[in-house]
Amino acid sequence: MNKKKVLIAYITLSVIWLYATDSLLETYIDTFDIALWQRVKGSIYIAIVGGFIYFLLKKEEKLQHVKQEEQRLSTLINAMVDFVNFKDGEGRWILANEFGLKLFHLEHVDYRGKKDSELAQYTSFYKEALEYCEISDEETWQAGELTHCEESVPLPDGTFKVFHTIKVPLFFEDGSRKGLVVIGRDITERKEAKKQLEESEQRYKSLFEYNPDLVYMIDLQGNITNLNPIFEDLIGYKKEDVIGTSILSFISEKDKERVTDEFSRIIATGVSSKGKELEIVRRDGMKMSFECTSVPIIIENKVVGVTGYAKDVTKIKETEERLRRAEKLSIVGELAASVAHEIRNPLTSLKGFVQLLQQGDAGQTHYYNIMLNELDRINHIVGELLVLAKPQTLRFKKDNIISIVEDVKALLESQTNLYSAEIDIKAEQNLPLIECESNQLKQLFINLIKNSVEAGATKIQVALSRTKENMVLVRVRDNGCGIPEQRIKHLGEPFFSYKEKGTGLGLTVSYRIVESHKGRIVFKSEVNQGTEVEIMLPIYNKS
């Protein structure tokens, strides 16, 4: 249509030029000069036409260049996996790529020059989404700057696509609206991957942070890189104080070499180890037993560290130890039941005859006294065997532990004075009652204090207090000769004694008394420094 207009204009102007110039020449120019002016007129016409043609060619060249640029732009945006849309200042669509047209089901719609609300009439499924685009565009115009937002676009299959949309408003120099560029990137997979990553991190955090067992991570040098919160409860150190320190600093001396060898093997082979038992030293010096599983941390087929899971088996070990002691006590009980009565009967006869012989032979009194003392000692041992042999019916009742300890002090005071030993009792005020069999507890404290006296103690301190575990703690401390560390673990075993003439049955009975009261007994001792015994007994509970 434009070409026809240009051609008509060219013919019309040419005719007007020819007739107008000829008329002017005939009117104002002499006949002699007409030929010259005709040549001038023709030259002017040629120049004008040439300039006009040059102008048209340049314009056509620019037009072709613009078309080529538009083609390149169209090819570019159609190759993009993002939604791209150009709008004018009124919000009318100028250009959209194929991805955007397919997304909104507008492939066969002549969209150019139409607003979102007008295009909404061509697709019922995306009607609301397109109408909302006008609202979102207006917000961008009002903001007057580039905006980012996330938009969810529903799909016919019931799922959604999430787009990260960038809108860039363009303005003329006078501030009026020139155009709007809309680019929407499909981030559905990225959002889903992020969600899965967050869920994975949450599962990892739950496994690590809330694991009831100790979880730790160490680097290739054996230094701790991470710990879960249970570490502070179990070992007593704060997490921030131990990060970066060697794991060996918490392991007992006897296990350090074995742990080092096992760690080196895991790093070298990448093979985990399971069920390795080791001893860890708490901040307060107490030793705890842990069953450890170590797993290599492998990144890009390289071992970069080790993750460890340590299960506290201290109580299990203690229970096993109690069971072993119970088995030993059972054996001792069976032995005592079959032997004790058989020994006591002839023992009574021997003692009677020795006493008769002593009365008739005064010159050998010293030897008879020795025999009587040894017979009494045998009788005492038989008595202890009988205590272990026969099950006793215990009648528990609430009682004052302070009164029980003071009764023991009064009972033993004359004996301790003979050995220049002093018993000192210190108790908290308002100490609660306990549920116990008082005679058995008296026997327990008598055994402990006698052991202290026989160990050469001159000061025996008995401290009574209440613990955070809602128990009464009785701490018996002396300054005697002490017990070697390797022998402490055998205390309470039948017939094991550190004393020259001891049978070991006294502590065996003491352990049984504490266990029958559902309490705990712990020995701590250093050679030439003294011994401390902690007895924890439950507080009386009405329920």
Side-chain angles (χ1 to χ4, degrees):
M1 188 69 182
N2 291 333
K3 291 180 180 179
K4 289 181 179 180
K5 289 181 179 180
V6 170
L7 180 60
I8 292 172
Y10 171 72
I11 294 172
T12 302
L13 291 174
S14 297
V15 170
I16 293 172
W17 171 265
L18 290 173
Y19 283 100
T21 53
D22 287 345
S23 177
L24 289 173
L25 288 175
E26 290 176 357
T27 303
Y28 297 103
I29 302 301
D30 294 338
T31 304
F32 178 78
D33 296 327
I34 287 178
L36 177 62
W37 284 102
Q38 285 287 352
R39 287 193 291 274
V40 173
K41 181 188 74 169
S43 299
I44 294 172
Y45 180 75
I46 290 171
I48 293 173
V49 171
F52 181 67
I53 292 173
Y54 178 78
F55 171 76
L56 290 178
L57 290 174
K58 290 294 289 182
K59 192 170 183 180
E60 180 67 19
E61 184 180 349
K62 288 183 179 180
L63 183 61
Q64 290 297 326
H65 182 71
V66 170
K67 287 183 177 180
Q68 289 177 359
E69 291 296 324
E70 287 183 354
Q71 185 64 35
R72 291 193 190 99
L73 178 62
S74 178
T75 302
L76 176 62
I77 65 173
N78 284 328
M80 295 174 66
V81 293
D82 301 331
F83 168 58
V84 182
N85 190 5
F86 297 92
K87 300 178 182 179
D88 63 15
E90 299 297 325
R92 292 185 290 265
W93 286 34
I94 299 173
L95 183 64
N97 65 345
E98 293 177 359
F99 178 87
L101 296 175
K102 288 180 181 179
L103 177 66
F104 290 106
H105 297 174
L106 298 173
E107 305 100 303
H108 306 295
V109 176
D110 183 12
Y111 62 84
R112 289 180 175 84
K114 295 182 176 62
K115 295 184 177 182
D116 293 283
S117 56
E118 295 172 340
L119 292 172
Q121 309 305 318
Y122 294 92
T123 169
S124 59
F125 188 82
Y126 290 107
K127 185 175 184 295
E128 293 182 2
L130 287 168
E131 289 175 346
Y132 176 74
C133 285
E134 286 194 3
I135 299 173
S136 179
D137 290 350
E138 185 61 30
E139 292 175 352
T140 301
W141 284 116
Q142 294 295 330
E145 58 184 8
L146 181 146
T147 59
H148 296 261
C149 64
E150 285 189 7
E151 297 178 338
S152 295
V153 178
L155 299 178
D157 61 2
T159 60
F160 284 83
K161 277 188 176 293
V162 182
F163 286 85
H164 175 232
T165 305
I166 301 174
K167 296 189 177 184
V168 184
L170 304 175
F171 297 91
F172 289 106
E173 291 183 0
D174 60 359
S176 59
R177 299 177 181 182
K178 181 179 181 181
L180 185 68
V181 181
V182 182
I183 302 175
R185 171 156 294 181
D186 184 2
I187 59 171
T188 308
E189 292 184 1
R190 191 173 75 187
K191 291 281 286 186
E192 183 63 26
K194 183 180 179 182
K195 180 182 177 183
Q196 291 179 0
L197 178 61
E198 289 175 349
E199 291 176 352
S200 177
E201 288 177 348
Q202 188 60 44
R203 285 194 293 270
Y204 164 77
K205 183 178 180 181
S206 298
L207 176 64
F208 187 83
E209 297 288 338
Y210 306 115
N211 198 314
D213 295 331
L214 174 60
V215 184
Y216 55 91
M217 294 182 180
I218 52 181
D219 60 20
L220 296 178
Q221 287 71 45
N223 297 323
I224 298 171
T225 58
N226 202 359
L227 291 163
N228 65 339
I230 200 70
F231 176 84
E232 185 173 345
D233 297 332
L234 289 176
I235 313 301
Y237 293 93
K238 290 187 177 180
K239 176 180 176 180
E240 54 270 19
D241 293 338
V242 300
I243 295 295
T245 60
S246 173
I247 190 71
L248 294 176
S249 58
F250 304 99
I251 297 173
S252 64
E253 289 295 330
K254 68 183 183 68
D255 290 330
K256 282 186 178 180
E257 185 177 353
R258 181 167 58 87
V259 170
T260 301
D261 294 341
E262 188 66 20
F263 177 75
S264 300
R265 185 194 66 78
I266 295 171
I267 297 299
T269 64
V271 179
S272 61
S273 67
K274 299 179 181 178
K276 302 295 182 180
E277 190 173 305
L278 58 87
E279 199 171 63
I280 292 179
V281 183
R282 284 173 48 91
R283 185 171 189 172
D284 57 10
M286 184 183 293
K287 294 179 180 179
M288 300 180 67
S289 298
F290 285 85
E291 188 177 88
C292 298
T293 298
S294 299
V295 181
I297 303 172
I298 300 176
I299 299 176
E300 296 181 355
N301 297 323
K302 290 183 179 180
V303 178
V304 297
V306 173
T307 298
Y309 304 88
K311 183 178 182 64
D312 182 9
V313 294
T314 307
K315 292 183 178 179
I316 296 175
K317 297 276 288 183
E318 290 176 354
T319 302
E320 291 175 350
E321 184 62 26
R322 288 195 188 102
L323 287 174
R324 280 194 293 269
R325 287 184 175 176
E327 289 176 359
K328 291 178 181 178
L329 287 174
S330 176
I331 294 170
V332 171
E334 292 176 5
L335 176 64
S338 60
V339 174
H341 288 290
E342 300 298 328
I343 294 175
R344 178 162 282 184
N345 291 332
L347 196 63
T348 304
S349 300
L350 288 172
K351 186 174 181 180
F353 285 122
V354 170
Q355 288 173 339
L356 287 174
L357 291 172
Q358 184 181 22
Q359 291 175 2
D361 189 2
Q364 304 295 329
T365 301
H366 174 70
Y367 297 107
Y368 290 125
N369 286 335
I370 292 174
M371 286 190 288
L372 288 172
N373 288 336
E374 292 302 317
L375 289 172
D376 287 337
R377 174 172 162 72
I378 295 172
N379 191 45
H380 176 73
I381 294 172
V382 171
E384 288 183 330
L385 285 172
L386 288 174
V387 170
L388 293 173
K390 63 178 181 180
Q392 301 178 15
T393 302
L394 302 179
R395 294 183 179 180
F396 288 88
K397 62 179 181 178
K398 59 182 179 178
D399 209 332
N400 189 333
I401 186 68
I402 300 175
S403 298
I404 293 174
V405 174
E406 288 177 343
D407 288 346
V408 171
K409 178 183 177 181
L411 183 64
L412 296 178
E413 200 158 24
S414 58
Q415 183 179 351
T416 56
N417 288 337
L418 292 175
Y419 291 90
S420 301
E422 179 184 354
I423 301 175
D424 181 27
I425 299 175
K426 293 183 179 179
E428 288 184 359
Q429 293 183 350
N430 302 320
L431 204 62
L433 300 177
I434 63 170
E435 192 170 15
C436 65
E437 208 291 320
S438 59
N439 289 327
Q440 282 210 340
L441 288 188
K442 288 178 182 178
Q443 182 64 48
L444 166 66
F445 295 126
I446 287 172
N447 289 344
L448 295 177
I449 293 174
K450 277 187 174 182
N451 285 343
S452 296
V453 172
E454 292 172 2
T458 57
K459 289 185 179 180
I460 304 169
Q461 295 179 339
V462 182
L464 299 99
S465 60
R466 182 172 184 170
T467 69
K468 294 180 180 179
E469 300 173 343
N470 207 26
M471 301 182 82
V472 169
L473 170 63
V474 183
R475 183 180 284 113
V476 181
R477 183 187 292 117
D478 66 50
N479 62 346
C481 63
I483 307 170
E485 183 179 357
Q486 63 270 23
R487 297 194 178 190
I488 291 179
K489 60 183 179 181
H490 296 292
L491 295 179
E493 294 181 3
F495 307 115
F496 176 83
S497 176
Y498 187 49
K499 295 180 290 186
E500 183 179 351
K501 293 185 178 182
T503 63
L505 295 177
L507 281 183
T508 303
V509 172
S510 298
Y511 269 89
R512 171 168 283 189
I513 291 171
V514 174
E515 288 176 1
S516 66
H517 283 75
K518 295 182 172 57
R520 298 198 300 272
I521 181 170
V522 179
F523 281 81
K524 299 177 183 178
S525 184
E526 290 185 26
V527 176
N528 299 324
Q529 297 295 323
T531 301
E532 179 179 287
V533 187
E534 292 183 350
I535 303 106
M536 281 169 278
L537 300 168
I539 290 173
Y540 172 73
N541 192 337
K542 291 182 180 180
S543 61

